[in-house]
């Protein structure tokens, strides 16, 4: 059974930092892209940052210079270091992982975690 599980959310004051972690487990052959999305109440789910297996990264403009995404391929884990947090960063943060299950079939399937709440208080 494949699982994608986030951890590390919580309550932090403006200007503070949090580190989110997300681990994928199960009979996975490979992981292509891993990423973080966030969704505030009444809003759509938006990309925050993503990273390929080769280490190429993409960030939303709103988090550039404040957030850093990284991954440990050996642990099937992706991290999101969030610094200089703002109230507008408050949201549920979701991890997404594009997983492949076969050496001969490179089709990938997107799996989502259940989300972790990040609240930035002023």
């Amino acid at each position: 059974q494949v699982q994608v599980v986030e951890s590390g959310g919580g309550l932090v004051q403006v200007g503070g930092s949090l580190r989110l972690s997300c681990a994928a487990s199960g009979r996975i052959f490979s992981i292509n892209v891993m990423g973080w999305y966030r969704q505030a109440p009444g809003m759509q789910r938006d990309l925050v940052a993503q990273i390929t297996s080769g280490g190429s990264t993409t960030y939303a403009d709103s988090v550039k210079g404040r957030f850093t995404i990284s991954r440990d391929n050996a642990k099937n884990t992706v991290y999101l270091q969030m610094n200089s947090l703002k109230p507008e960063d408050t949201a549920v943060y979701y991890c997404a992982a594009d997983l492949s299950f076969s050496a001969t079939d490179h089709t990938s399937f997107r799996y989502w975690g259940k989300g972790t709440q990040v609240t930035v208080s002023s």
Side-chain angles (χ1 to χ4, degrees):
Q1 182 179 359
V2 175
Q3 286 189 311
V4 175
V5 180
E6 305 101 335
S7 61
L11 175 64
V12 64
Q13 291 187 330
V14 169
S17 298
L18 280 175
R19 188 190 194 211
L20 305 183
S21 300
C22 169
S25 61
R27 299 186 68 176
I28 300 167
F29 176 75
S30 66
I31 304 178
N32 185 6
V33 178
M34 299 187 80
W36 291 94
Y37 291 71
R38 65 186 181 188
Q39 187 170 21
M43 304 293 286
Q44 66 181 20
R45 188 176 298 186
D46 291 325
L47 174 68
V48 175
Q50 66 180 27
I51 184 168
T52 69
S53 57
S56 296
T57 58
T58 302
Y59 293 94
D61 287 343
S62 60
V63 306
K64 285 180 180 177
R66 300 188 298 122
F67 291 9
T68 302
I69 190 169
S70 60
R71 66 189 279 174
D72 184 334
N73 289 330
K75 296 181 178 180
N76 289 344
T77 299
V78 64
Y79 306 97
L80 186 68
Q81 178 66 44
M82 304 186 293
N83 298 329
S84 302
L85 283 161
K86 305 175 180 180
E88 52 263 43
D89 295 318
T90 296
V92 178
Y93 284 69
Y94 296 92
C95 177
D98 293 344
L99 310 179
S100 296
F101 302 98
S102 169
T104 57
D105 182 354
H106 299 293
T107 303
S108 63
F109 301 88
R110 171 150 293 191
Y111 283 75
W112 292 89
K114 294 182 179 181
T116 185
Q117 177 70 46
V118 171
T119 302
V120 184
S121 66
S122 56

